[in-house]
Amino acid sequence: MAFGTLKADTLTHSTAGSLDTNFVVNGSSKSWIYAASGLASINGSLNVSSLGDDGTGDGTVNVTNSFSGSTYSAVGTCAAGSSTEVVAFDTDSSSASNWTFETAGANSTTDRTNRDRRTYSTAHGDLA
């Protein structure tokens, strides 16, 4: 069976209005992940081939379809435990095919230890 090509500059909904397709291409997340159980499992994802558990609270998200380079934006959050938690992204270690992150306590004076938490992350940029 042969498939054709769909070309459109605008998507129009019968009641919700129109949307330029450039917004869909340039404004959509190209990859996302919901990791749980101490980063041991992927509970949901898009364009993610695997998750590397690099130690307590440290992870590497490997993408199925690479980005055009390492200059994309990865952002995320994690479930809080008994204190406020933060997610930090290591842009020096990220590449076109993966990004790395670390979850830790947010109190800089008493608790900066890494922790395994449910982590939610997304990346925006151009695919190769």
Side-chain angles (χ1 to χ4, degrees):
M1 170 185 275
F3 293 98
T5 301
L6 175 64
K7 294 182 180 182
D9 293 327
T10 305
L11 302 174
T12 302
H13 187 272
S14 60
T15 59
S18 299
L19 177 67
D20 186 5
T21 55
N22 278 336
F23 179 78
V24 176
V25 171
N26 294 323
S28 301
S29 174
K30 303 306 187 292
S31 183
W32 64 264
I33 186 170
Y34 164 36
S37 303
L39 308 181
S41 66
I42 299 173
N43 285 20
S45 69
L46 169 71
N47 191 27
V48 172
S49 60
S50 64
L51 173 65
D53 189 347
D54 303 334
T56 303
D58 294 339
T60 299
V61 178
N62 300 297
V63 297
T64 305
N65 299 296
S66 294
F67 287 88
S68 60
S70 61
T71 56
Y72 54 89
S73 174
V75 296
T77 188
C78 64
S82 58
S83 64
T84 304
E85 309 291 327
V86 296
V87 176
F89 293 89
D90 184 358
T91 55
D92 291 335
S93 297
S94 297
S95 71
S97 60
N98 65 54
W99 72 86
T100 59
F101 63 89
E102 162 184 320
T103 60
N107 186 332
S108 61
T109 59
T110 61
D111 186 11
R112 293 293 297 170
T113 57
N114 291 359
R115 299 196 173 114
D116 283 337
R117 299 287 186 219
R118 290 186 313 273
T119 304
Y120 311 86
S121 182
T122 183
H124 299 262
D126 294 329
L127 295 178

